[in-house]
Amino acid sequence: MAFSKIFLLLTAIVGLVASQAMTSDPSALQDFCVADKDSPMRVNGFPCKDVKDVNGDDFFLAANLDKPMDTTKSKAGSNVTLINVMKPAGLNTLGISMARIDYAPKRQNPPHTHPRATEILAVLEGSLYVGFVTSNQANRENKLFTKTLNKGDVFVFPEGLIHFQYNPSYDKPAVAIAALSSQNAGAITIANAVFGSNPPISDGVLTKAFQVDKKAIDWLQAQFWENNHN
Ligand SMILES: *[C@@H]1O[C@H](CO)[C@@H](O)[C@H](O)[C@H]1NC(C)=O
């Protein structure tokens, strides 16, 4: 084998090993580890329920994911139904979760990040304008990537990056199903975390960070920053 071919092969192997090492949740060391939510033990994730007490229900959820969710109560006009390790408990240690997201016309799932997961999203109804922004790059840029998705289209949001989905239609709701590469992806809604923290971040920090006056910060902090996740 020529040296260049060996080099290519080695590069591929190193790449494969590195990509495995970077998956979000640690790999399981057994077939399953159904979360024992009643255990007083505190570990990363949940301790395993005794295998003899495990049955099909631990891997099942009558989630009604085919049903539209109410988007009228939410200020953002969206409703995120999460299916993660909290239910069904069988997801513990399996490194995956999902969500159904409903969007009212002209409303959105506001800019947020998942600290522990990459997300892949499919549009089931309507259309969505979606995007994510890169972390701070060497050229001092934060680059925005966007697409308009129609029914049946898929888009990927890389782990940790700020992203959003907006329903551009004047009259039609939109529905998406998302898969996430963690049993507990977590969500940080940017505006909520920055302007709605408890206790509030000081005006001195926020006026300088956002290059606005104290009045603008006080106004933002006085808004109701809802959580649109269930
Ligand atoms: C989402 O919809 C469900 C059922 O339609 C409702 O009970 C829940 O309050 C809604 N959540 C939000 C954040 O609007």
Side-chain angles (χ1 to χ4, degrees):
M1 212 190 287
F3 175 77
S4 67
K5 278 196 183 146
I6 295 173
F7 182 76
L8 270 180
L9 188 68
L10 279 176
T11 313
I13 291 170
V14 168
L16 192 69
V17 170
S19 72
Q20 282 172 352
M22 284 189 293
T23 54
S24 255
D25 291 3
S27 341
L29 303 175
Q30 55 233 323
D31 284 356
F32 53 78
C33 164
V34 174
D36 179 358
K37 306 261 171 59
D38 301 324
S39 169
M41 221 180 351
R42 295 287 171 267
V43 297
N44 188 20
F46 293 98
C48 314
K49 197 164 140 176
D50 194 327
V51 177
K52 72 174 166 27
D53 299 330
V54 171
N55 62 42
D57 284 339
D58 290 308
F59 303 94
F60 170 81
L61 187 65
N64 291 317
L65 280 194
D66 58 324
K67 303 279 189 308
M69 299 299 271
D70 184 3
T71 53
T72 61
K73 283 195 222 108
S74 142
K75 233 177 145 180
S78 58
N79 192 325
V80 183
T81 307
L82 278 177
I83 313 290
N84 64 18
V85 68
M86 300 318 289
K87 254 190 308 180
L91 273 177
N92 193 37
T93 74
L94 299 184
I96 194 169
S97 58
M98 69 181 295
R100 173 189 167 115
I101 313 159
D102 289 77
Y103 310 83
K106 287 275 162 204
R107 308 302 289 285
Q108 64 172 322
N109 189 15
H112 63 281
T113 85
H114 302 293
R116 292 177 289 278
T118 288
E119 173 175 350
I120 184 163
L121 176 141
V123 176
L124 299 189
E125 291 298 336
S127 60
L128 288 175
Y129 168 73
V130 304
F132 69 82
V133 181
T134 63
S135 62
N136 305 353
Q137 302 296 295
N139 65 359
R140 302 187 172 273
E141 212 175 53
N142 297 96
K143 198 171 164 66
L144 172 67
F145 292 86
T146 65
K147 277 302 272 188
T148 297
L149 310 179
N150 295 310
K151 189 168 170 168
D153 291 347
V154 159
F155 196 78
V156 173
F157 303 105
E159 180 165 336
L161 301 189
I162 294 180
H163 61 282
F164 58 85
Q165 299 109 29
Y166 172 74
N167 178 3
S169 170
Y170 282 101
D171 52 1
K172 290 187 188 60
V175 180
I177 292 281
L180 297 128
S181 62
S182 170
Q183 66 175 29
N184 179 24
I188 302 169
T189 307
I190 306 308
N192 298 32
V194 174
F195 301 113
S197 70
N198 179 23
I201 300 176
S202 86
D203 281 345
V205 170
L206 293 183
T207 50
K208 290 189 180 60
F210 288 86
Q211 305 182 38
V212 293
D213 59 16
K214 182 173 162 353
K215 243 177 70 185
I217 296 299
D218 289 345
W219 186 87
L220 283 163
Q221 288 181 325
Q223 303 309 303
F224 172 64
W225 297 105
E226 66 162 2
N227 180 350
N228 66 344
H229 289 59
N230 288 302

